[in-house]
């Protein structure tokens, strides 16, 4: 894909400080974090179908919690049996009883979480720092002795004492966990803060790091990218960014940013993103905002006359992301902003040979009508062909 990147990014790379190219894994948590979104509950069949779609899209891991209910446990079991390429990650507490449930699903990989911030230890769990670490290590041992690969999430790491976070991470490394997840559980970090958190954990624990960024201040994507820059090996996302409260990093935004900002070539089928989003939208009843980057209705809609004219010349003028790459369509909105060139385009599409005079008077007509957006046209190949042959 990378060959036409600079055509779209120009000299942006200069300001972005060069590209990285380093690959990073994508963990989709639509079935775990996503189901914590207010109002969302999938059926077993929907979970399996979403899992199948995500696998086909190309995510590396699919996270699900078998602990929540019998139906979640069954869904987890079905996903294990589905023969997917993606790793199925069973998520639960750092507790024997939760690990036992994961084992009944034939889980191979168990991701356990335990809080590490004083705020959580005091108000949520009422345990000391020592006890928190002891319990977690005990659970790691238990999971490992049952043949499970393990990840430990240091929940609320971003608000925890940095010295304790490092001690905790070091102990996990020494206990040979396979991964450590570093979450910004309440979205309390800015990108440089997330960078420092990941870097500081990596310094003491040379194991693959997952980054999990909440969007409470709207920084989930920026923080995930900072975590990537700091060396995170896997980033957590959900379809539409759904999750507890206002959710986490959005899948489409992350994979597309990795490509355009860093030149990372993931094994992701970008063109089926709309299919994945539509399915999840249908099952959640929550529609994506028109303004959602990449998958929103407005992402490739051009309206101002000057934009329309430039885009018809070369879409790169006003598009970073080519819509065809992500399975979307470019659209032209006809309104009083359409201008002479937009009017000429419209007349061409209608098969009317337009001279300057006619184009101008049609543009004026649109202004006089004062009806806002009158209609829009999807630019398909037939229209583009007609346009080319008439210009
Ligand atoms: C939760 C907390 C969590 C865990 C993240 C992870 C968080 O809801 O259980 O396991 O990587 O944000 O800290 O989602
Ligand atoms: Cu979370």
């Amino acid at each position: 894909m990378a060959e036409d990147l600079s055509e779209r990014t120009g000299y942006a790379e200069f300001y972005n400080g060069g590209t990285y190219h380093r690959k990073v894994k994508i963990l989709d948590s639509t079935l775990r974090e996503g189901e914590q979104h207010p109002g969302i509950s999938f059926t077993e069949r929907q979970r399996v179908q979403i899992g199948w779609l995500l696998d086909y899209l190309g995510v590396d891991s699919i996270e699900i919690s078998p602990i929540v209910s019998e139906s979640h446990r069954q869904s987890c079991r079905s996903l294990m049996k589905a023969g997917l390429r993606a790793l199925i990650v069973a998520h639960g507490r750092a507790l024997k009883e939760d690990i036992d449930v994961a084992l009944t699903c034939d889980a191979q990989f168990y991701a356990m979480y335990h809080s590490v911030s004083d705020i959580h230890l005091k108000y949520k769990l009422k345990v000391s720092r020592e006890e928190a670490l002891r319990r977690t290590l005990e659970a790691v041992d238990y999971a490992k002795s049952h043949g499970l690969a393990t990840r430990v999430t240091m929940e609320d790491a971003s608000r925890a004492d940095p010295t304790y976070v490092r001690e905790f991470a070091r102990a996990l490394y020494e206990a040979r966990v396979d991964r450590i997840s570093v979450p910004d559980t309440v979205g309390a970090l800015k990108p440089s803060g997330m960078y420092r958190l990941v870097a500081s954990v990596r310094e003491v624990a040379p194991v693959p790091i997952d980054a999990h960024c909440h969007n409470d201040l709207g920084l989930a994507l920026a923080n995930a990218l900072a975590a990537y820059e700091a060396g995170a090996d896997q980033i957590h996302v959900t379809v539409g960014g759904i999750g507890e409260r206002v959710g986490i990093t959005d899948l489409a935004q992350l994979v597309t940013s990795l490509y355009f900002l860093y030149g990372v070539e993931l094994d992701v089928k970008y063109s089926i993103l709309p299919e994945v989003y539509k399915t999840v939208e249908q099952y959640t009843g929550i529609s994506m905002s028109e303004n959602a980057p990449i998958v929103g209705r407005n992402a490739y809609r051009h309206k101002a006359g000057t934009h329309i004219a430039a885009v018809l010349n070369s879409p790169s003028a006003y598009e970073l992301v080519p819509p065809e790459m992500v399975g979307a369509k470019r659209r032209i909105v006809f309104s009083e902003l359409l201008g002479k060139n937009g009017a000429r385009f419209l007349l061409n599409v209608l098969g009317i040979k337009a001279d300057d005079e006619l184009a101008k008077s049609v543009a004026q007509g649109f202004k006089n009508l004062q009806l806002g957006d009158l209609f829009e046209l999807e630019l398909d190949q037939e229209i583009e062909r007609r346009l080319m042959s008439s210009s």
Side-chain angles (χ1 to χ4, degrees), residues 32-33 36 63 91 111-113 120 124 151-157 181-186 210-212 214 236 244-245 248:
R32 197 281 296 172
E33 178 79 53
Q36 291 178 222
E63 189 173 76
H91 192 265
M112 64 184 84
Y113 61 96
H120 274 204
K124 175 183 156 189
R151 180 185 100 207
V152 174
T153 300
M154 300 189 291
E155 191 182 352
D156 209 18
S181 172
V182 179
D184 181 16
T185 302
V186 299
D210 284 33
H212 178 104
H214 273 267
H236 294 191
E244 192 80 43
R245 305 183 306 283
I248 64 167

Side-chain angles (χ1 to χ4, degrees), residues 105-139:
C105 306
D106 302 323
Q108 315 279 309
F109 193 104
Y110 186 71
M112 64 184 84
Y113 61 96
H114 200 294
S115 296
V116 294
S117 69
D118 292 335
I119 302 174
H120 274 204
L121 296 185
K122 184 167 167 205
Y123 297 115
K124 175 183 156 189
L125 301 170
K126 300 183 176 55
V127 297
S128 67
R129 289 182 181 185
E130 295 70 31
E131 177 61 9
L133 181 57
R134 196 197 57 73
R135 281 187 189 183
T136 307
L137 292 177
E138 193 178 290

